[in-house]
mmCIF file of all heavy atoms in Angstrom:
data_model
loop_
_atom_site.group_PDB
_atom_site.id
_atom_site.type_symbol
_atom_site.label_atom_id
_atom_site.label_comp_id
_atom_site.label_asym_id
_atom_site.label_seq_id
_atom_site.Cartn_x
_atom_site.Cartn_y
_atom_site.Cartn_z
ATOM 1 N N SER A 502 23.007 84.184 -11.941
ATOM 2 C CA SER A 502 21.907 84.830 -12.681
ATOM 3 C C SER A 502 22.191 86.320 -12.856
ATOM 4 O O SER A 502 21.764 86.934 -13.825
ATOM 5 C CB SER A 502 20.565 84.622 -11.964
ATOM 6 O OG SER A 502 20.458 85.474 -10.832
ATOM 7 N N VAL A 503 22.942 86.872 -11.905
ATOM 8 C CA VAL A 503 23.272 88.295 -11.947
ATOM 9 C C VAL A 503 24.495 88.544 -12.833
ATOM 10 O O VAL A 503 24.535 89.500 -13.597
ATOM 11 C CB VAL A 503 23.556 88.805 -10.502
ATOM 12 C CG1 VAL A 503 24.028 90.245 -10.507
ATOM 13 C CG2 VAL A 503 22.307 88.630 -9.641
ATOM 14 N N ASP A 504 25.470 87.641 -12.713
ATOM 15 C CA ASP A 504 26.757 87.873 -13.376
ATOM 16 C C ASP A 504 26.817 87.392 -14.821
ATOM 17 O O ASP A 504 27.667 87.840 -15.583
ATOM 18 C CB ASP A 504 27.884 87.150 -12.604
ATOM 19 C CG ASP A 504 28.049 87.701 -11.207
ATOM 20 O OD1 ASP A 504 27.535 88.816 -10.954
ATOM 21 O OD2 ASP A 504 28.672 87.023 -10.361
ATOM 22 N N LEU A 505 25.974 86.439 -15.176
ATOM 23 C CA LEU A 505 26.113 85.806 -16.495
ATOM 24 C C LEU A 505 24.847 85.987 -17.326
ATOM 25 O O LEU A 505 23.753 86.105 -16.771
ATOM 26 C CB LEU A 505 26.362 84.294 -16.323
ATOM 27 C CG LEU A 505 27.586 83.877 -15.496
ATOM 28 C CD1 LEU A 505 27.578 82.366 -15.282
ATOM 29 C CD2 LEU A 505 28.870 84.288 -16.216
ATOM 30 N N PRO A 506 24.994 85.958 -18.658
ATOM 31 C CA PRO A 506 23.788 85.948 -19.499
ATOM 32 C C PRO A 506 22.980 84.674 -19.206
ATOM 33 O O PRO A 506 23.550 83.664 -18.768
ATOM 34 C CB PRO A 506 24.348 85.907 -20.926
ATOM 35 C CG PRO A 506 25.805 86.160 -20.813
ATOM 36 C CD PRO A 506 26.237 85.867 -19.431
ATOM 37 N N PHE A 507 21.689 84.705 -19.486
ATOM 38 C CA PHE A 507 20.813 83.604 -19.092
ATOM 39 C C PHE A 507 21.325 82.215 -19.506
ATOM 40 O O PHE A 507 21.411 81.321 -18.654
ATOM 41 C CB PHE A 507 19.381 83.840 -19.613
ATOM 42 C CG PHE A 507 18.419 82.804 -19.158
ATOM 43 C CD1 PHE A 507 17.855 82.856 -17.881
ATOM 44 C CD2 PHE A 507 18.077 81.736 -19.982
ATOM 45 C CE1 PHE A 507 16.978 81.875 -17.445
ATOM 46 C CE2 PHE A 507 17.195 80.753 -19.548
ATOM 47 C CZ PHE A 507 16.649 80.827 -18.286
ATOM 48 N N PRO A 508 21.710 82.002 -20.772
ATOM 49 C CA PRO A 508 22.141 80.636 -21.150
ATOM 50 C C PRO A 508 23.379 80.183 -20.370
ATOM 51 O O PRO A 508 23.476 79.015 -19.987
ATOM 52 C CB PRO A 508 22.466 80.756 -22.641
ATOM 53 C CG PRO A 508 21.802 82.007 -23.100
ATOM 54 C CD PRO A 508 21.737 82.926 -21.933
ATOM 55 N N GLU A 509 24.291 81.134 -20.105
ATOM 56 C CA GLU A 509 25.493 80.783 -19.328
ATOM 57 C C GLU A 509 25.102 80.475 -17.890
ATOM 58 O O GLU A 509 25.663 79.582 -17.249
ATOM 59 C CB GLU A 509 26.502 81.951 -19.326
ATOM 60 C CG GLU A 509 26.959 82.395 -20.706
ATOM 61 C CD GLU A 509 27.583 81.255 -21.469
ATOM 62 O OE1 GLU A 509 28.441 80.566 -20.900
ATOM 63 O OE2 GLU A 509 27.178 81.032 -22.633
ATOM 64 N N GLY A 510 24.169 81.249 -17.384
ATOM 65 C CA GLY A 510 23.677 81.040 -16.013
ATOM 66 C C GLY A 510 23.090 79.649 -15.865
ATOM 67 O O GLY A 510 23.324 78.952 -14.871
ATOM 68 N N LEU A 511 22.341 79.216 -16.885
ATOM 69 C CA LEU A 511 21.764 77.867 -16.841
ATOM 70 C C LEU A 511 22.863 76.812 -16.768
ATOM 71 O O LEU A 511 22.750 75.827 -16.042
ATOM 72 C CB LEU A 511 20.923 77.604 -18.094
ATOM 73 C CG LEU A 511 19.488 78.112 -18.128
ATOM 74 C CD1 LEU A 511 18.805 77.582 -19.388
ATOM 75 C CD2 LEU A 511 18.688 77.700 -16.899
ATOM 76 N N LYS A 512 23.926 77.044 -17.534
ATOM 77 C CA LYS A 512 25.033 76.076 -17.532
ATOM 78 C C LYS A 512 25.677 76.007 -16.151
ATOM 79 O O LYS A 512 26.004 74.940 -15.650
ATOM 80 C CB LYS A 512 26.099 76.481 -18.561
ATOM 81 C CG LYS A 512 25.776 76.013 -19.937
ATOM 82 C CD LYS A 512 26.997 76.172 -20.847
ATOM 83 C CE LYS A 512 26.531 76.318 -22.279
ATOM 84 N NZ LYS A 512 27.308 77.273 -23.049
ATOM 85 N N ARG A 513 25.856 77.190 -15.563
ATOM 86 C CA ARG A 513 26.476 77.252 -14.231
ATOM 87 C C ARG A 513 25.573 76.543 -13.209
ATOM 88 O O ARG A 513 26.045 75.790 -12.367
ATOM 89 C CB ARG A 513 26.673 78.728 -13.849
ATOM 90 C CG ARG A 513 27.340 78.944 -12.516
ATOM 91 C CD ARG A 513 28.831 78.629 -12.583
ATOM 92 N NE ARG A 513 29.462 78.780 -11.278
ATOM 93 C CZ ARG A 513 30.135 77.809 -10.663
ATOM 94 N NH1 ARG A 513 30.275 76.625 -11.218
ATOM 95 N NH2 ARG A 513 30.684 78.018 -9.483
ATOM 96 N N GLU A 514 24.273 76.782 -13.349
ATOM 97 C CA GLU A 514 23.318 76.122 -12.455
ATOM 98 C C GLU A 514 23.466 74.604 -12.565
ATOM 99 O O GLU A 514 23.468 73.883 -11.572
ATOM 100 C CB GLU A 514 21.885 76.542 -12.822
ATOM 101 C CG GLU A 514 20.802 75.862 -11.992
ATOM 102 C CD GLU A 514 19.404 76.101 -12.571
ATOM 103 O OE1 GLU A 514 18.989 75.344 -13.486
ATOM 104 O OE2 GLU A 514 18.734 77.023 -12.101
#
Side-chain angles (χ1 to χ4, degrees):
S502 76
V503 175
D504 297 343
L505 302 173
F507 184 80
E509 302 302 312
L511 277 187
K512 276 192 206 142
R513 182 74 183 123
E514 177 191 85

